[in-house]
């Protein structure tokens, strides 16, 4: 991020795990002066309606992302490997449980 | 709307012929309904317009906490007090989500807040009107949140990913706001003659400013057309305003209170309500700072920010000390 | 005195209600957006607790006298002298340090009290207290966090935090000063003798003050502990103004439904 003022609280990315056993999911961001405060602020901001049972916080500055300009070379090759999907293999109707 | 007049920085809508290759590829992605994400290339005008639009929206949420917060201390029952506290708190949350969406475009929240305090950034004109009675809290929920929701639901499909995602969350949370407002109006309409008069008075004062929330007529705005092309504005001001009138008139009828508009009537041929002319000079004056509460609203925000400076600094200083202590301990 | 349990429930309910009313004043005016939201959560918890205690007090009153007052009648139609909250919670917000000092002193005592009440022989009291104790455990963490951050932050925040805990210290005595109502409640096994909570409270306050690099106040003079404090209906000048605001609509339109 650019142009953070001196003294501005850093930005944190918030991940919440809901009650249903799914993985932590990114829900948004917020500001906090340190990690402990970020967890508490996340509880107050992002779980006001019973949204979660577990919170992860990560400094936004610490997130490493793939290069959007490399989107084609990173992700297009997978689209030609259709044999990785079960629907690629038609099964005879009489064969069950497979 | 919460973002009533967003300057795109462009004199006219850019045609495809005027675009360079990158801009054409960008427009093609938008036309194909592919979401634009923070790290994607985007035209500078798109980025700047979005920052302006999202921050207007965010500032509106934050300034909007003030007129309603004005009645938390005086809510007439403990149940109403809890609902109002939760609602005003939600507005704070919505402002927070929106600032975060703007921050993905490379601008810090403190900078956006400074712009608001310096009078450089706009917020919705509606929050420069005073909340004089308890019925105003009902009218705001019913009319102002009703108008806001109408605008926000299409924005859940807008082209910028972080903005669209923030809107999805906001719309989900906001669904109770309009109902609680109408519920207040219902109680007043079923109440004593004094309470009914209070409800009518609130409608009289909030109706026209609510219609102005949708912004100036489409014919007046080149910016709307460019924003529509970028899919950061999905329905026109006039279209949304008409929908709002059509939806709200029967709700007022049910309450048994009268719309303050002598020209309002059902137009069978159009299948819509016709309504009277909006006083746009009032709108422009409120935007310029001449509304009844502009100075109070901004002063309250500046005061909170300045009074809180030592608290924010202390938290930063403490965090730095903790880092140092952890290093020493290691 | 009527049934001591009613008085006792009013004390619990009024503490929560009056402090929630004070916290509501912060919404929209906090030092940072995240804090507005957090303070509102604390206020909402307390308001919910206040409603549960007051409703129960009203029901007991009804069973005894035949006229049960609702939570709203109790909140909006009693004059100051009938309110039973401690003076600490009605004190004005002041700056953020004063608000946090008030919250810290109260949260620590509130948590100890609720945990004791969770073992009450009165099942309704035990049930409300068990639910509230979970909420207040979080409040106590947050307010202690802020006392530590501000105490050990900058020179300015340290000075403000020290001044705040010094100023509010004389109002903490009332949290632990028992009277006839407390004695009756303790004897019946409904709630603890408040004096028994003070050592644990003092230990918690000492520990947080030490982490915050603050000097824990030591003054012995305490306000409202001679049976003439908020618990007996003797308040500071501030409560009247708080009620004037809170009760305005109910007073201006008697009998109206909202």
């Amino acid at each position: 991020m650019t142009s953070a003022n001196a003294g501005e609280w850093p930005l944190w990315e918030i991940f919440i795990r809901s009650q249903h056993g799914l993985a932590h999911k990114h829900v948004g961001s917020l500001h906090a002066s340190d990690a402990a405060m970020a967890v508490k602020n996340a509880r107050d901001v992002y779980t006001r309606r019973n949204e979660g049972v577990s919170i992860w916080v990560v400094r936004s500055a610490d997130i490493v992302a793939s290069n959007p300009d490399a989107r084609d070379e990173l992700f297009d090759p997978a689209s030609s490997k259709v044999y990785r999907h079960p629907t690629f293999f038609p099964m005879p109707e009489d064969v069950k449980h497979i | 709307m919460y973002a009533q007049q967003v300057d795109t920085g462009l004199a006219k809508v850019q045609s495809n012929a005027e675009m360079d290759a990158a801009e054409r590829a960008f427009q093609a992605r938008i036309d194909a309904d592919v979401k634009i994400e923070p790290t994607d290339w985007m035209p500078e005008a798109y980025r700047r317009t979005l920052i302006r639009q999202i921050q207007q929206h965010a500032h509106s949420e934050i300034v909007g906490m003030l007129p309603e917060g004005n009645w938390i201390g005086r809510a007439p029952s403990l149940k109403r007090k809890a609902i109002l506290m939760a609602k005003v708190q939600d507005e704070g949350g919505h402002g927070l989500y929106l600032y975060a969406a703007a921050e993905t475009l490379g601008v810090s929240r403190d900078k956006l807040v400074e712009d608001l305090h310096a009078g450089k950034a706009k917020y919705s004109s509606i929050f420069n009107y005073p909340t004089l009675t308890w019925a105003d809290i009902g009218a705001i929920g019913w009319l102002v949140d009703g108008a806001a929701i109408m605008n926000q639901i299409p924005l859940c499909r807008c082209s910028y990913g972080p903005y669209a995602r923030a809107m999805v969350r906001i719309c989900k949370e906001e669904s109770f706001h309009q109902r609680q407002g109408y519920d207040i109006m219902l109680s007043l309409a079923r109440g004593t003659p004094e309470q009914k008069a209070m409800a009518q008075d609130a409608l009289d004062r909030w109706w026209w400013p609510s219609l102005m929330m949708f912004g100036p007529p489409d014919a007046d705005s080149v910016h709307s057309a460019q924003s529509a092309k970028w899919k950061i504005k999905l329905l026109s001001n006039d279209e949304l305003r008409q929908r709002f009138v059509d939806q709200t008139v029967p709700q007022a009828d049910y309450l048994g209170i009268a719309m303050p508009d002598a020209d309002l009537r059902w137009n069978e041929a159009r299948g819509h309500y016709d309504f009277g002319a909006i006083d746009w000079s009032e709108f422009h004056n409120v935007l310029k700072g001449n509304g009844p509460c502009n100075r109070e609203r901004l002063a309250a925000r500046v005061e909170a920010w300045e009074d809180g400076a030592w608290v924010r600094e202390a938290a930063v200083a403490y965090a730095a000390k903790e880092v140092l202590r952890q290093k020493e301990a290691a | 005195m009527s049934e001591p349990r009613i008085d006792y429930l009013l004390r619990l309910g009024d503490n929560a209600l009056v402090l929630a009313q004070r916290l509501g004043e912060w919404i929209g005016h906090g030092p940072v957006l995240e804090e507005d939201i957090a303070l509102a959560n604390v206020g909402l918890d307390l308001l919910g607790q206040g409603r549960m205690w007051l409703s129960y007090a009203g029901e007991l009153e009804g069973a005894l006298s035949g006229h049960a007052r609702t939570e709203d009648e109790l909140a909006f139609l009693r004059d100051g002298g009938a309110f039973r909250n401690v003076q600490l919670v009605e004190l004005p917000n002041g700056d953020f340090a004063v608000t946090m000092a008030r919250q810290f002193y109260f949260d620590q005592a509130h948590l100890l009290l609720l945990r004791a009440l969770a073992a009450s022989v009165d099942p309704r009291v035990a049930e409300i207290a068990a639910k509230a104790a979970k909420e207040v455990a979080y409040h106590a963490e947050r307010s202690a966090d802020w006392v530590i951050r501000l105490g050990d932050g900058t020179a300015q925040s340290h000075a403000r935090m020290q001044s705040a805990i010094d100023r509010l210290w004389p109002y903490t005595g009332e949290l632990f000063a028992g009277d006839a109502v407390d004695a009756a409640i303790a004897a019946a096994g409904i709630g603890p003798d408040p004096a028994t909570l003070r050592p644990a409270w003092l230990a918690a306050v000492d520990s947080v003050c030490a982490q915050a690099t603050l000097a824990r106040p030591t003054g012995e003079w305490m306000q409202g502990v001679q049976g003439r404090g908020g618990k007996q209906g003797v308040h500071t000048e501030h409560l009247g103004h708080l009620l004037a605001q809170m009760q305005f609509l109910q007073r201006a339109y008697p009998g109206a439904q909202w």
Side-chain angles (χ1 to χ4, degrees):
Chain A
M1 284 305 100
T2 57
S3 71
N5 296 13
E8 178 159 6
W9 289 4
L11 193 63
W12 300 77
E13 299 304 320
I14 311 303
F15 301 81
I16 306 265
R17 180 157 59 76
S18 66
Q19 269 118 347
H20 314 295
L22 298 172
H24 284 78
K25 183 168 174 279
H26 183 244
V27 292
S29 19
L30 51 74
H31 288 269
S33 57
D34 55 46
M37 190 202 278
V39 171
K40 288 209 170 77
N41 285 352
R43 180 266 189 194
D44 283 315
V45 172
Y46 287 106
T47 67
R48 300 199 304 283
R49 289 173 169 80
N50 277 319
E51 289 94 337
V53 294
S54 167
I55 296 169
W56 286 352
V57 302
V58 183
R59 255 178 206 268
S60 307
D62 289 343
I63 298 237
V64 181
S66 60
N67 176 2
D69 294 333
R71 180 163 33 210
D72 292 353
E73 66 204 66
L74 289 175
F75 306 116
D76 279 3
S79 64
S80 61
K81 297 176 179 64
V82 288
Y83 46 79
R84 285 186 180 273
H85 300 277
T87 46
F88 182 73
F89 307 94
M91 288 289 126
E93 247 180 53
D94 295 341
V95 180
K96 302 293 181 202
H97 308 299
I98 186 162
Chain B
M1 190 33 47
Y2 280 5
Q4 287 164 319
Q5 251 191 326
V6 183
D7 192 335
T8 54
L10 297 173
K12 65 180 194 62
V13 179
Q14 237 188 343
S15 73
N16 282 9
E18 292 164 313
M19 297 178 185
D20 63 23
E23 286 168 342
R24 264 198 298 275
F26 175 82
Q27 188 63 49
R29 291 185 70 196
I30 287 186
D31 293 342
D33 280 331
V34 177
K35 291 267 182 280
I36 307 302
E37 294 296 336
T39 51
D40 293 342
W41 183 88
M42 62 187 82
E44 196 49 27
Y46 175 85
R47 195 182 70 85
R48 278 205 298 255
T49 303
L50 262 179
I51 291 176
R52 270 194 291 265
Q53 177 169 338
I54 299 172
Q55 74 161 316
Q56 273 188 36
H57 195 157
H59 295 328
S60 299
E61 299 280 359
I62 301 311
V63 175
M65 295 171 80
L66 300 171
E68 290 184 277
N70 186 31
W71 280 90
I72 290 176
R74 291 177 288 171
S77 73
L78 296 182
K79 184 184 89 177
R80 295 281 186 208
K81 188 190 290 291
I83 294 168
L84 185 59
M85 264 173 103
K87 192 205 167 212
V88 179
Q89 181 199 42
D90 274 352
E91 315 291 5
H94 298 171
L96 193 155
Y97 309 155
L98 288 159
Y99 282 127
E103 284 176 281
T104 63
L105 292 158
V107 59
S108 78
R109 186 168 90 189
D110 282 7
K111 171 73 172 65
L112 297 175
V113 167
E114 275 168 26
D115 285 354
L116 172 70
H117 294 172
K120 286 192 240 166
K122 292 190 198 122
Y123 58 88
S124 177
S125 56
I126 195 79
F127 300 118
N128 289 317
Y129 291 87
T131 48
L132 303 177
T133 74
W134 173 250
D136 290 13
I137 299 307
I140 288 184
W142 172 36
L143 301 174
V144 176
D145 289 304
I149 290 166
M150 191 152 270
N151 180 265
Q152 288 169 351
I153 286 174
L155 280 176
C156 296
R157 298 181 282 113
C158 78
S159 65
Y160 188 58
Y163 190 25
R165 290 191 284 274
M167 286 326 306
V168 169
R169 196 174 185 89
I170 289 169
C171 286
K172 229 187 260 174
E173 296 185 354
E174 190 118 325
S175 51
F176 98 81
H177 293 183
Q178 190 188 10
R179 285 187 175 205
Q180 68 86 34
Y182 196 71
D183 189 58
I184 289 174
M185 298 303 281
L186 270 174
S187 295
L188 296 175
R190 291 168 179 163
T192 64
E194 284 162 311
Q195 285 176 304
K196 276 182 210 160
M198 202 185 271
Q200 180 65 58
D201 166 63
L203 177 62
D204 290 349
R205 282 181 292 109
W206 289 92
W207 175 245
W208 290 106
S210 298
L211 293 188
M212 293 176 200
M213 283 179 71
F214 294 94
D218 299 326
D220 298 357
S221 184
V222 59
H223 305 302
S224 292
Q226 181 60 60
S227 293
K229 187 159 184 184
W230 281 331
K231 293 192 187 167
I232 53 179
K233 182 177 180 70
L234 290 111
L235 293 169
S236 80
N237 294 349
D238 290 332
E239 210 174 335
L240 286 167
R241 189 166 15 242
Q242 182 68 61
R243 272 195 204 184
F244 178 70
V245 172
D246 291 348
Q247 150 185 315
T248 309
V249 173
Q251 294 167 353
D253 290 346
Y254 186 84
L255 292 173
I257 51 180
M259 288 290 185
D261 180 357
D263 298 324
L264 184 82
R265 60 182 54 83
W266 179 252
N267 183 326
E268 194 66 51
R270 288 204 310 129
H272 291 292
Y273 283 94
D274 291 337
F275 52 97
I278 293 170
D279 179 1
W280 291 109
S281 70
E282 173 177 328
F283 171 76
H284 289 294
N285 262 302
V286 174
L287 274 196
K288 259 189 275 176
N290 296 329
C293 299
N294 292 59
R295 277 172 198 83
E296 286 90 338
R297 299 291 184 246
L298 215 51
R301 286 313 311 157
V302 170
E303 190 185 358
W305 186 247
E306 287 176 353
D307 287 354
W310 70 271
V311 176
R312 298 190 301 274
E313 283 160 19
V316 171
Y318 176 80
K321 286 185 194 175
E322 278 287 279
V323 169
L324 221 64
R325 280 192 281 258
Q326 276 163 14
K327 273 192 193 140
E328 278 164 12
Chain C
M1 192 196 326
S2 59
E3 157 78 31
R5 208 160 23 145
I6 295 173
D7 242 357
Y8 192 72
L9 290 168
L10 289 176
R11 291 176 180 186
L12 293 167
D14 290 343
N15 277 344
L17 170 61
V18 169
L19 188 51
Q21 176 77 6
R22 282 290 183 223
L23 290 174
E25 296 170 20
W26 271 106
I27 304 173
H29 306 275
V32 69
L33 200 38
E34 284 78 359
E35 193 55 32
D36 273 35
I37 295 169
L39 283 171
N41 273 342
V42 176
L44 281 168
D45 285 345
L46 289 170
L47 184 52
Q49 294 170 19
R51 294 177 66 185
M52 288 189 280
W53 294 126
L54 292 183
S55 296
Y56 187 28
E59 285 169 37
L60 279 187
E61 195 182 45
L64 224 70
S65 73
H67 175 64
R69 281 184 286 181
T70 63
E71 58 175 34
D72 284 338
E73 286 173 304
L74 286 167
F76 295 103
L77 300 178
R78 278 180 301 158
D79 199 352
F83 269 75
R84 291 287 177 263
N85 58 282
V86 293
Q87 294 179 355
L88 176 67
V89 295
E90 72 203 34
L91 298 176
N93 285 341
D95 67 4
F96 192 69
V98 170
T99 289
M100 278 305 141
R102 183 184 64 198
Q103 197 68 38
F104 167 60
Y105 284 150
F106 180 73
D107 287 345
Q108 295 295 335
H110 199 196
L111 182 58
L112 293 165
L113 174 61
L114 289 170
R115 284 184 174 158
L117 287 175
S120 174
V121 297
D122 180 329
R124 180 89 169 266
V125 168
E127 186 194 340
I128 298 172
K131 177 184 184 301
K134 281 190 218 166
E135 297 172 344
V136 172
Y138 182 71
H139 304 175
E141 266 189 51
R142 277 193 82 263
S143 54
D145 279 356
W146 269 118
V147 170
I148 293 168
R149 275 200 185 88
L150 297 177
D152 191 19
T154 62
Q156 189 194 12
S157 71
H158 178 86
R160 282 179 184 255
M161 198 65 237
Q162 184 67 56
S163 142
I165 60 169
D166 289 349
R167 221 164 91 198
L168 298 191
W169 177 253
Y171 294 93
T172 60
E174 203 188 345
L175 295 165
F176 309 104
D179 63 1
V181 172
D182 289 310
I185 288 298
I190 294 168
D193 169 359
T196 61
L197 304 176
R198 190 156 193 267
W201 179 83
L202 209 50
V205 170
D206 275 334
S207 155
V208 171
C209 283
Q211 289 177 73
T213 71
L214 294 167
R216 196 259 290 164
T218 52
E220 287 182 14
W221 171 253
M222 291 292 169
Q223 298 288 350
V225 292
Q226 303 81 15
R228 291 191 299 116
K231 286 160 71 167
Q232 294 82 29
V234 183
H235 291 278
T236 65
E237 287 185 346
H238 305 293
L239 183 70
H241 294 281
L242 180 145
L243 296 181
Q245 184 189 50
M246 186 171 87
Q247 300 181 336
F248 149 68
L249 270 175
Q250 291 269 357
R251 300 287 191 185
Y253 300 92
Q257 297 299 308
W258 302 91

